[in-house]
């Protein structure tokens, strides 16, 4: 079987990933260090993600705001731990004017140097916390439930499209509460929003759980994540939710008068997902013919390709295609009107067909003169591209029959992709009882080791550092301790030998 | 009649404008120079604008993309005229790391100075044009029809919320075409999209027309705008559409092989609207009780205020309110489901009522124990706040009758606000035949002079400079030459005395 991409997942997973992005016209290098151009197909997927997740963020009582791109240097000084943790590599604005450099070029004007440099936001806890300190005076002002869709910048040295770029797009939720319990509840509520969103909309099976102490967001009391498994067995952290306790409130002076008239610090949370999710979609659902987009986030769910030959009959074929489109957009699938488009560009039919296969449109319909004459359409399902004999599985069916089936077919594709993701993740988590077993597992299963599921005693401080170092030697990290555990008393910690308190997942990661 | 704001439009229009923004919780100062925090009510209006305009941008064949925030300095050097025109005051990133400054603070790391400074985009012609030069090879690749929703930064010295801020949010469309005719057609098509959007969705009457040469976007062949009239008679340019000819294509090397195999420069356009539109909405529709939001862009169209008194009967009032909400959201108004919410916060009913009046929710429904008992609701229409005797016009009607009428009422409010805007603009444009008349007009009608409509010969170069200087002495600018004129031969140019070729609008402006 010959595939549409020149490199397969088996041959070189990293090269395959980049090839999907290029061949599906999702993104490209921008010429600006570490920044990509997100092209319409990639951005269209992001718009779908935004729309569906935004609905869920609003349905849980949050409102969107917009805070400044620039954060004064002094805001970071207030939150020392925050800076120590990750925020050193940041883009710093120092000047506000350009002037000719006398050599035919331009330069920053030395006369226009800022008194206080501005940092391009790497995340917005500091600037949003400062606003919260103005907004929150009394218990009546709580909770404050805010979300922001924005671009952020972290000066990453090694970048990889969608997974790690200097500038990326995300949403960041920030909330303030009257009690620690309520803030912890919020942290887990949003974790669950992320988990169900990944499952239901992205078709990506994830494990929700708590990150170990060493992987916490700087300044957080607890950091929770959803972890997805890529087809090479590596983990991708696809979203995080942080319980910040009163740490940020203390630094930013978010205080309120409680019902008894006493001044208290608020408890805050923050939580975010980014364009990284698109990287997960590619590496979970892609195959050797390109991307496969789950219908819920596909910019176009049904792409209709009239097979044009520069002949007079072309007009009738395009008309027939548009009639089909008109029939489809009146149908509803997965809770919304079907998104169907006609690709009437003057290109060869095979080029267009394979272009849409590589982009991963869930259903591609081809229409030639014979289809028009017979009242038929030729249907290609992206999740069942080939027949058992290795040939392209293009099925001729009556147009009206297809229109009647389209919604169910899209729902089936969504469910199929999700089921495959569930199956792959389940099949690639191995419970192991001791450290020797972990070493052996990652030595043997070099190519696609998946994750191991082990008991531990949740050591902290120096004891945890030792564990992290042992794992690092094998390029492993603790992904999370899956949520919903009720204890773990059937054996000792694989690291310390002490009684275990919970199970954790360990693997290699992006 | 006592009003909700402490300052009226008549007393001090500028102070009134700021007061609406503050009292309606739309935005606030962020503490970061020139940047504001857009709060939920302001951002909710922007989200509605985005959604409705984005639908129209997509319906005309454009696709959304995302390009980098940072633009290398050298990109600006390519387009000298571009820089000369407006792009000097820009935020410049020179470093990519912070380190401790030895005095307990932070400073940019001198070791992490960028080889080439990066400019925070003031607009994206240069970086998008560079992408176009990669994408466009053949006539088959044209047209390229792209839009981006993004933040941009212009280092403005004097800022004013929504109207002029250092960072602002906008959409910028960028297109490339095979011919000048097609690109000009695109320029006017998008101008019409903006015009109809302003009229239909914002309820803001605008005049679409061409800007004079001196007001063109740097590098443009033609710049077109929509101009709205604020209640103080000043103009606000609410959107622009530029025909760039081959100027940018030349600087950015956007070339294609035409059907005959010859290499040609593409013709490009760009067009944008920004959060400035929210400033227009405030100054067109606001009154001395705050904002009045047209229903199409109101985050909530019907706000239901249960009048709670900390009594056992409160629960029944809230239930009744939620039942009403459930009935309303099943109705459709202005093409979408009605957006209705219940404000069950534990605050005084009068505080909540006036809070929503100041925010400009189109309909406020109050529900007390008596309403529940009688199966009624008390209805306040934001566009008819007071009765003739000066008292608040709160009408008690049967709940079911209100549910039946709600859609028509919202449609009527939308139409009423628009009609008022049309009437105000029409009443405040005065045709004048000579320069002396213009001088007299602006001397006499000092407070709210509106615009004058005059003939001119469309001088260029030095002759135009003279005209601009004469206008400037009276703080006037040419707004635009309204589109759709078929010549103007009934008198001479008021500036040059030469035969007039068209009519133009002149006024003071934001």
């Amino acid at each position: 079987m010959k595939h549409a991409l020149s490199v397969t997942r088996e041959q070189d997973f990293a090269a395959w990933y980049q090839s999907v992005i290029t061949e599906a016209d999702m993104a490209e290098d921008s010429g600006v260090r570490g920044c990509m151009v997100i092209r319409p197909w990639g951005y269209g997927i992001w718009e779908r993600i935004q729309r569906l997740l935004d609905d869920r963020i609003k349905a849980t009582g949050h409102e969107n705001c917009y805070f400044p791109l620039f954060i004064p240097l002094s805001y970071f000084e207030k939150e020392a731990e925050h800076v120590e943790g990750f925020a050193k590599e940041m883009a710093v604005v120092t000047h506000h004017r350009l002037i000719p450099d006398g050599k035919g070029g331009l330069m920053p004007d030395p006369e226009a140097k800022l008194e206080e440099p501005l940092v391009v936001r790497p995340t917005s806890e500091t600037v949003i916390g400062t606003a919260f300190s103005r907004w929150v005076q009394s218990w009546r002002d709580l909770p404050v439930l805010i979300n922001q869709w924005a671009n952020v910048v972290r000066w990453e040295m090694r970048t990889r499209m969608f997974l790690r770029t200097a500038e990326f797009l995300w949403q960041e939720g920030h909330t303030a509460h009257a009690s620690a319990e309520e803030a912890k509840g919020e942290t887990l509520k949003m974790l669950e929003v992320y988990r169900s969103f990944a499952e239901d909309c992205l078709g990506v099976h994830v494990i929700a759980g708590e990150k170990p102490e060493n992987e916490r967001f700087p300044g957080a009391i607890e950091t929770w994540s959803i972890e997805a498994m890529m087809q090479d067995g590596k983990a991708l952290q696809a979203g995080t939710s942080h319980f910040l306790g009163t740490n940020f409130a203390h630094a930013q002076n978010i205080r309120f008068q409680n019902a008894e008239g006493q001044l208290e610090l608020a408890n805050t949370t923050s939580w975010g997902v980014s364009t990284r999710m698109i990287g997960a979609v590619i590496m979970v659902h892609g195959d050797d013919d390109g991307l496969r987009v789950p219908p819920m986030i596909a910019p176009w769910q049904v792409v209709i390709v009239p097979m044009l030959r520069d002949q007079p009959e072309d007009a009738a074929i395009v008309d027939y295609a548009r009639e089909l489109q008109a029939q489809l957009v009146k149908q509803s699938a997965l809770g919304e009107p079907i998104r169907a488009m006609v690709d009437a560009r003057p290109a060869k039919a095979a080029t267009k067909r394979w272009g849409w296969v590589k982009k991963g449109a869930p259903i591609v319909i081809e229409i030639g003169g014979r289809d028009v004459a017979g009242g038929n359409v030729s249907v290609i399902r992206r999740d069942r591209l080939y027949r058992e004999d290795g040939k392209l599985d293009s099925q001729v069916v009556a147009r009206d029959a297809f229109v009647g089936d389209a919604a169910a077919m899209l729902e089936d594709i969504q469910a199929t992709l999700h089921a495959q993701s569930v199956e792959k993740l389940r099949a690639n988590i191995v419970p192991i009882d001791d450290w020797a077993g972990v070493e052996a597992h990652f030595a043997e299963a070099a190519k696609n080791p998946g994750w191991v599921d082990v008991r531990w005693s949740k050591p902290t401080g120096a004891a945890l550092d030792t564990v992290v170092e042992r794992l690092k030697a094998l390029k492993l990290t603790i992904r999370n301790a899956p949520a919903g555990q009720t204890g773990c008393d059937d054996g000792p910690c694989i690291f310390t030998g002490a009684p275990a308190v919970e199970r954790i997942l360990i693997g290699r990661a992006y």
Side-chain angles (χ1 to χ4, degrees), chain A residues 348-365:
Chain A
K348 282 185 191 161
T351 305
K352 290 198 278 187
R353 172 205 291 161
W354 288 104
W356 289 110
V357 165
K358 288 189 284 188
K359 281 186 158 75
I363 299 173
V364 178
I365 301 296

Side-chain angles (χ1 to χ4, degrees), chain A residues 98-107:
Chain A
L98 295 178
I99 53 169
D101 65 0
K103 292 177 278 184
L106 295 166
M107 59 181 256

Side-chain angles (χ1 to χ4, degrees), chain A residues 3 41 58 89 101 115 124 132 177 203 209 211 224 280 282 322 335 370 376 383 399 405-406 428 448 463 472 482 497:
Chain A
H3 289 287
W41 191 248
K58 286 183 175 141
E89 293 293 330
D101 65 0
E115 278 185 33
S124 302
F132 281 13
H177 306 264
K211 301 295 277 188
W224 297 73
I282 296 169
R322 297 219 185 276
R370 209 182 303 171
N376 295 324
D383 64 331
R399 183 173 95 179
D405 288 345
N428 288 288
N448 187 343
K472 200 174 171 188

Side-chain angles (χ1 to χ4, degrees), chain A residues 146-342:
Chain A
I146 288 300
N147 178 60
Q148 160 170 281
W149 291 92
N151 53 345
V152 288
V153 172
R154 297 174 188 180
W155 207 264
E156 302 284 356
M157 282 300 125
R158 289 186 195 179
T159 60
R160 201 172 215 175
M161 285 184 191
F162 292 113
L163 299 182
R164 186 171 285 109
T165 47
E167 180 190 9
F168 59 92
L169 305 180
W170 78 345
Q171 62 66 219
E172 47 181 322
H174 297 270
T175 69
H177 306 264
S179 73
E181 292 63 42
E182 193 184 302
K184 277 190 72 165
E186 166 79 10
T187 308
L188 294 178
K189 181 197 278 179
M190 298 320 293
L191 183 74
E192 172 56 19
V193 165
Y194 289 160
R195 190 201 63 75
S196 60
F197 172 75
E199 304 277 344
D200 300 346
C201 300
L202 308 182
V204 169
H205 188 44
V206 294
I207 305 291
E210 191 183 352
K211 301 295 277 188
E213 184 186 299
N214 62 304
E215 300 265 1
R216 273 181 206 146
F217 177 71
I221 308 280
E222 293 173 8
T223 284
W224 297 73
S225 73
I226 52 170
E227 303 280 333
M229 188 186 283
M230 307 299 102
Q231 288 180 64
D232 62 352
K234 284 195 193 172
L236 188 113
Q237 179 178 296
T240 47
S241 185
H242 314 289
F243 167 55
L244 305 173
T246 57
N247 290 349
F248 280 77
H250 190 266
Q252 291 150 355
N253 200 28
I254 311 173
R255 286 166 207 275
F256 66 98
Q257 203 162 41
N258 65 21
E260 290 74 43
Q262 289 156 326
L263 214 54
E264 275 191 58
L265 283 171
N267 276 264
T268 67
T269 81
S270 67
W271 28 274
V273 303
S274 73
T275 32
R276 199 163 212 238
M277 276 197 160
I278 298 175
V281 167
I282 296 169
M283 288 195 284
V284 167
H285 297 306
D287 66 16
D288 296 335
D289 292 293
L291 184 60
R292 302 188 304 166
V293 191
M296 283 194 77
I297 58 166
W300 300 114
Q301 297 169 316
V302 183
V303 174
I304 305 163
V305 178
M307 300 165 79
L308 308 177
R309 308 177 180 200
D310 242 338
Q311 300 288 328
E313 67 188 23
D314 282 2
I317 297 177
V318 172
D319 285 349
Y320 186 87
R322 297 219 185 276
E323 284 164 27
L324 172 61
Q325 179 195 24
Q327 286 175 298
L328 288 171
V329 299
K330 281 185 212 141
Q331 312 284 316
S332 219
L334 296 156
E336 289 180 89
I338 290 179
R339 294 182 293 282
M341 68 97 83
V342 175

Side-chain angles (χ1 to χ4, degrees), chain A residues 368-419:
Chain A
R370 209 182 303 171
D371 294 304
V372 175
N376 295 324
V377 295
S378 299
V379 182
I380 299 171
R381 266 180 75 146
R382 185 60 183 84
D383 64 331
R384 295 183 194 166
L385 203 53
Y386 298 102
R387 302 189 314 213
E388 286 194 3
D389 63 6
K391 294 214 173 115
L392 188 73
D393 190 357
S394 174
Q395 309 222 353
V396 177
V397 300
R399 183 173 95 179
D400 289 343
F402 171 70
V403 170
D405 288 345
M409 198 179 283
L410 288 168
E411 281 157 18
D412 189 51
I413 295 171
Q414 181 78 29
T416 300
L417 293 181
H418 181 237

Side-chain angles (χ1 to χ4, degrees), chain A residues 423-437:
Chain A
E423 196 189 311
K424 276 186 195 143
L425 191 143
R426 288 203 181 138
N428 288 288
I429 297 185
V430 183
I432 291 188
D433 284 331
D434 53 29
W435 175 249

